[in-house]
Amino acid sequence: MTGAPTITRAGDSDVVSLDYGLASTMLALGSVPRAIAALRNWAEWVVEPPMPPDVVDIGTTSEINLEVLTSLRPSLILSTPFLAALDDKLARIAPVETFTVYAENGEALDRSYAETRRLGTLIRRQQEAEAFLSHADATFDRLRERAGNLFAPPVAVINFIDQRHARIYGGPGLYGGAMRRIGLENAWKGEANYWGFQTIGLEQLAELDEEVHLVVVSPLFPPDVLTRLLESPLWSSLPFVRRRISVVPGVLMFGMVQEALRFATLMVDVLETAAR
């Protein structure tokens, strides 16, 4: 992105985020949160961008360290509707702003754009928010052009819950929205919740078109699940397992615009590799 925003170091910022997507968006706007929840798992679930080393970990969302949070004297706490039970305790420490990306009757990617603008206003980064979203639009357009040159087959995106079950992505969620934005056909035509996935038994993958390109999103659970599945007659019999299966690095499936961009880029990259 041209005209990249000046980074506000964590020591100069007093905003705390309880949500990975909001924290990632802060970074995209050039502002580093003072603290976030579940910092220790950031590198596994978000992967990129890296969180600067001086950000404070205030514990998990189920066990916020209120003593540490109070000591930081934040001016603002960023939260989501799914953490509403914490609002009364948090409000005694600092004002709480709730951002809604995942909810009924809406698309996660569209809401991510709107909430990015609102966040930019709250942290006085309006211009940076508009620049970031313009950059996102331009990147999505380039990815759409690249994808259009591939004549790619329908794509099914999953991650494993265990050896028998997976989440398959579509509907109004972030992955589904990113795929639509760049013109990829989602092979999963079934239902999906507003988080953008449906939990299925692996046998349901047999219902997909045999020309499907299957994309598995890391991390893998268990880590050797693909090796173990090779011992399964059902799995081994699936046409797309024999011909078209790719594994991509982790992308926060419940993120915002930054994560949609990362996911869309990884998708086009693996499809281009498969087309060679």
Side-chain angles (χ1 to χ4, degrees):
M1 180 174 66
T2 59
T6 301
I7 293 290
T8 299
R9 298 305 303 159
D12 301 322
S13 173
D14 53 5
V15 177
V16 170
S17 177
L18 306 186
D19 177 75
Y20 282 164
L22 291 167
S24 173
T25 303
M26 283 189 67
L27 295 179
L29 305 190
S31 180
V32 179
R34 182 72 180 93
I36 67 169
L39 175 61
R40 69 175 61 185
N41 299 122
W42 178 273
E44 179 180 14
W45 290 104
V46 183
V47 185
E48 292 180 350
M51 186 58 70
D54 44 357
V55 174
V56 177
D57 191 339
I58 54 170
T60 66
T61 52
S62 60
E63 293 185 70
I64 296 290
N65 190 322
L66 297 176
E67 184 177 350
V68 171
L69 180 58
T70 301
S71 73
L72 297 174
R73 301 178 66 184
S75 65
L76 181 65
I77 299 172
L78 310 179
S79 189
T80 74
F82 309 99
L83 302 174
L86 298 172
D87 284 356
D88 287 345
K89 292 180 179 178
L90 297 175
R92 297 171 194 157
I93 300 171
V96 178
E97 283 289 338
T98 299
F99 292 77
T100 302
V101 173
Y102 296 89
E104 299 284 1
N105 303 316
E107 297 276 339
L109 186 54
D110 291 343
R111 283 193 169 122
S112 293
Y113 269 70
E115 294 293 57
T116 295
R117 289 189 167 96
R118 187 160 77 91
L119 178 60
T121 298
L122 282 170
I123 64 174
R124 297 183 176 88
R125 295 262 167 173
Q126 297 98 319
Q127 291 184 344
E128 289 84 353
E130 292 303 327
F132 168 63
L133 294 177
S134 294
H135 161 74
D137 283 336
T139 302
F140 281 132
D141 288 344
R142 288 194 296 271
L143 291 169
R144 188 180 185 92
E145 183 177 359
R146 286 170 57 190
N149 293 330
L150 295 174
F151 303 100
V155 180
V157 180
I158 69 169
N159 61 5
F160 291 103
I161 297 173
D162 54 36
Q163 277 186 249
R164 296 183 179 181
H165 302 90
R167 287 175 173 174
I168 191 163
Y169 290 89
L174 197 71
Y175 286 3
M179 291 174 68
R180 286 188 291 276
R181 181 65 176 79
I182 63 174
L184 294 180
E185 180 182 354
N186 195 329
W188 177 248
K189 310 299 184 185
E191 293 183 358
N193 57 28
Y194 60 72
W195 291 102
F197 71 87
Q198 178 76 0
T199 300
I200 61 170
L202 294 186
E203 69 277 1
Q204 290 176 259
L205 293 175
E207 301 170 12
L208 300 179
D209 188 285
E210 65 178 28
E211 296 302 317
V212 161
H213 187 133
L214 184 68
V215 175
V216 181
V217 181
S218 298
L220 303 179
F221 295 111
D224 60 349
V225 63
L226 287 173
T227 301
R228 293 188 185 183
L229 282 172
L230 291 177
E231 301 171 2
S232 163
L234 169 64
W235 178 260
S236 299
S237 70
L238 296 173
F240 46 83
V241 167
R242 297 195 301 269
R243 294 202 303 265
R244 294 188 185 92
I245 181 169
S246 302
V247 179
V248 298
V251 182
L252 182 64
M253 64 284 292
F254 308 135
M256 292 177 63
V257 178
Q258 184 123 280
E259 288 67 45
L261 286 171
R262 173 172 163 78
F263 174 76
T265 300
L266 289 170
M267 293 294 288
V268 174
D269 287 347
V270 298
L271 292 172
E272 285 180 338
T273 297
R276 290 174 188 154

